[in-house]
Amino acid sequence: MKLLSILVLFITLSFADTNNPFKTKVNLIELEKTYQQYEQTDYKNFILGAEYYFGQGKEQNIKVAKDIFEKNDYDEFMIIYSNELKKLIDAEIIPTQNTGVDLIKNSLQIYKKTNSNDTYTINMLNQMINSWNQNTIKYSPDKKSKVIEYKADYLAISQYDGYNRPSFVEIESPYGKVSFKDFAFEPFDFAEEYLFLNNQKLLIHFGSDTASGTYILDLTNFEMNLIGYGSLSSVQTINSEKIINLVLKGYHDEGGAFWYGKSYDSNGIELKNQTLNNFINDFDKAHNTKNSDLLNIFYLNSISYYNSKNYSKENVLKDKKRLFKKYPNFNMKSKILGIQQETENDFTIIYRKDVIYGNNNKIFDSYLKVKIIGEKVFIKEENDIFESI
């Protein structure tokens, strides 16, 4: 596939082992130094010349760009692009805000003359052109820290699959500044989202085709700590506190997979609600002792019960009694996989239950939607998680 060969130029350093794409802790200042050292030894090529010409990641110095520029011949489009860029550098034309996108437009027109059937590359480049933007700036609440995300002023790895990701990032706070060409630990692990949790903490979500990881960056020392493996679902404010919701992938014991949520506080600590942990233990105990009186106080008057909506508490208890009568040896042991906070008092508990009934011993992935009122927990919905992937 055209353009993919250019990726060879951008394969940076590996910052994680093969089984784990993300380290639990990374210092961005040290990471930036590593990039700079790498460039000084192995990166004197077409891309480095382009960076000095456009000034992204370095000072803008056309003379240096001329000295180190090398023609790229990894891909037919990039050969054209290199030739057009070299003309600008040799002529010492000072780039403007539109130089980068104009360069791609001109190169694309030349490319289309002999490659009109290459719809993948043409569509990808047109998407880049249509969504071009010099930069996007995100500020902390006090406006003293910021993240600048630059769209590429030269064709970069951030564009390889057609997504116009930032190809260059600056993170600045009153305590320092770090800069990256592409913000990646591994090839294809891109920082896709930046959200300020407060004036001193920045949430950064990385994603790729195979993995996701979400970090909290301390803007006072530029230490970045992994809070969880999973896609970023949302960040919500509850009682003036930021709650971070991640979506993780789980696997059924008998095959298949499913998605479930976990919530974290602004320090990256997973939500561990002792009230809900105690409730799951009591929920197991009520089933194992066949205690319908205890079950009675767990449910709201009307709930969603497996495939039925607006199911009355009376019918839930009748169903439980039928289950206990049919399987006198019924026993279950549950383990919480994740707790996701929906509102101040509403939660979803995702749990795995090991169930014995009759001659069967099976594992079910299940969830309860609950509401905490005072010190008591009430079930709004009870269901199993069915295979979804």
Side-chain angles (χ1 to χ4, degrees):
M1 185 175 291
K2 291 184 180 294
L3 280 182
L4 295 187
S5 57
I6 189 60
L7 296 182
V8 176
L9 291 172
F10 293 92
I11 303 302
T12 53
L13 301 177
S14 173
F15 295 95
D17 60 48
T18 56
N19 296 320
N20 184 347
F22 303 110
K23 266 194 167 184
T24 57
K25 182 175 290 187
V26 178
N27 184 283
L28 295 193
I29 295 175
E30 295 303 316
L31 182 60
E32 182 184 27
K33 290 178 182 177
T34 303
Y35 271 113
Q36 291 172 345
Q37 292 169 358
Y38 183 63
E39 287 179 350
Q40 290 172 3
T41 57
D42 298 321
Y43 220 40
K44 293 185 176 179
N45 54 31
F46 159 78
I47 300 304
L48 188 56
E51 286 181 348
Y52 273 106
Y53 177 69
F54 286 111
Q56 284 190 322
K58 306 182 180 302
E59 63 176 326
Q60 189 176 64
N61 191 320
I62 295 179
K63 183 180 183 303
V64 173
K66 288 177 68 174
D67 290 341
I68 65 176
F69 181 85
E70 294 180 8
K71 179 179 176 181
N72 180 282
D73 59 359
Y74 282 85
D75 182 274
E76 188 170 352
F77 174 78
M78 292 305 296
I79 293 173
I80 296 171
Y81 183 87
S82 297
N83 289 335
E84 296 303 301
L85 176 57
K86 190 172 188 302
K87 292 177 184 177
L88 297 177
I89 294 175
D90 288 344
E92 297 187 1
I93 295 174
I94 305 298
T96 66
Q97 180 174 340
N98 295 321
T99 300
V101 67
D102 289 341
L103 178 58
I104 291 180
K105 287 179 180 178
N106 295 337
S107 302
L108 176 57
Q109 292 305 311
I110 298 171
Y111 181 76
K112 287 165 65 174
K113 291 178 181 178
T114 54
N115 296 274
S116 58
N117 293 327
D118 183 11
T119 56
Y120 173 84
T121 299
I122 292 171
N123 289 339
M124 187 194 76
L125 292 167
N126 277 324
Q127 181 179 345
M128 288 173 56
I129 292 167
N130 293 334
S131 59
W132 194 271
N133 184 12
Q134 178 69 9
N135 59 59
T136 300
I137 304 178
K138 297 179 181 179
Y139 290 98
S140 59
D142 64 2
K143 306 297 183 183
K144 293 182 179 179
S145 299
K146 62 183 177 181
V147 177
I148 305 177
E149 304 174 82
Y150 292 92
K151 304 299 184 183
D153 268 352
Y154 51 88
L155 198 61
I157 191 173
S158 59
Q159 321 300 331
Y160 89 99
D161 57 0
Y163 293 100
N164 199 30
R165 294 186 178 93
S167 63
F168 178 74
V169 177
E170 290 179 349
I171 300 177
E172 185 175 357
S173 79
Y175 303 93
K177 176 180 177 180
V178 292
S179 303
F180 295 90
K181 299 182 310 301
D182 51 24
F183 208 150
F185 297 122
E186 293 274 358
F188 321 133
D189 293 334
F190 296 94
E192 295 187 334
E193 193 163 4
Y194 301 86
L195 293 169
F196 282 97
L197 298 175
N198 52 44
N199 293 325
Q200 294 186 336
K201 292 180 181 177
L202 177 67
L203 189 72
I204 307 177
H205 171 65
F206 288 80
S208 73
D209 292 339
T210 58
S212 291
T214 301
Y215 288 80
I216 292 178
L217 173 65
D218 186 331
L219 292 166
T220 64
N221 58 18
F222 289 91
E223 286 286 341
M224 191 165 70
N225 295 301
L226 179 72
I227 66 170
Y229 301 108
S231 299
L232 178 63
S233 171
S234 64
V235 176
Q236 56 183 335
T237 302
I238 298 178
N239 289 334
S240 301
E241 293 293 326
K242 289 287 196 303
I243 302 296
I244 304 162
N245 296 316
L246 300 186
V247 178
L248 295 85
K249 191 175 185 179
Y251 295 90
H252 294 297
D253 188 59
E254 297 180 354
F258 60 95
W259 300 102
Y260 66 96
K262 282 189 178 184
S263 294
Y264 302 79
D265 65 19
S266 59
N267 294 313
I269 305 301
E270 183 182 347
L271 179 64
K272 298 286 189 182
N273 190 303
Q274 191 58 47
T275 299
L276 298 181
N277 278 279
N278 292 339
F279 173 76
I280 286 294
N281 291 333
D282 291 340
F283 191 62
D284 278 355
K285 182 178 179 180
H287 282 80
N288 297 336
T289 59
K290 319 311 188 275
N291 190 334
S292 56
D293 290 335
L294 184 56
L295 284 171
N296 180 63
I297 66 174
F298 288 161
Y299 293 92
L300 294 175
N301 290 330
S302 178
I303 72 166
S304 293
Y305 186 70
Y306 292 89
N307 294 323
S308 299
K309 294 183 177 180
N310 300 319
Y311 207 70
S312 69
K313 179 194 293 190
E314 290 76 14
N315 285 331
V316 171
L317 295 177
K318 287 179 182 179
D319 187 67
K320 298 291 184 181
K321 289 177 181 179
R322 283 194 296 267
L323 177 69
F324 300 150
K325 184 177 181 180
K326 185 175 181 179
Y327 301 111
N329 68 331
F330 182 90
N331 185 275
M332 73 180 194
K333 184 177 182 180
S334 301
K335 177 183 178 182
I336 293 178
L337 299 178
I339 297 173
Q340 182 162 337
Q341 187 166 2
E342 312 291 351
T343 69
E344 180 180 353
N345 298 311
D346 295 280
F347 301 82
T348 298
I349 307 170
I350 304 92
Y351 65 105
R352 177 163 288 173
K353 56 188 180 186
D354 189 341
V355 184
I356 296 173
Y357 57 104
N359 296 322
N360 303 296
N361 186 351
K362 290 190 175 182
I363 293 176
F364 296 89
D365 296 304
S366 308
Y367 68 90
L368 295 172
K369 289 185 178 292
V370 302
K371 179 182 286 290
I372 297 178
I373 302 176
E375 296 297 320
K376 294 183 178 180
V377 180
F378 296 93
I379 297 172
K380 301 188 299 178
E381 181 176 349
E382 179 179 348
N383 211 336
D384 289 333
I385 301 173
F386 301 99
E387 185 171 323
S388 60
I389 298 175

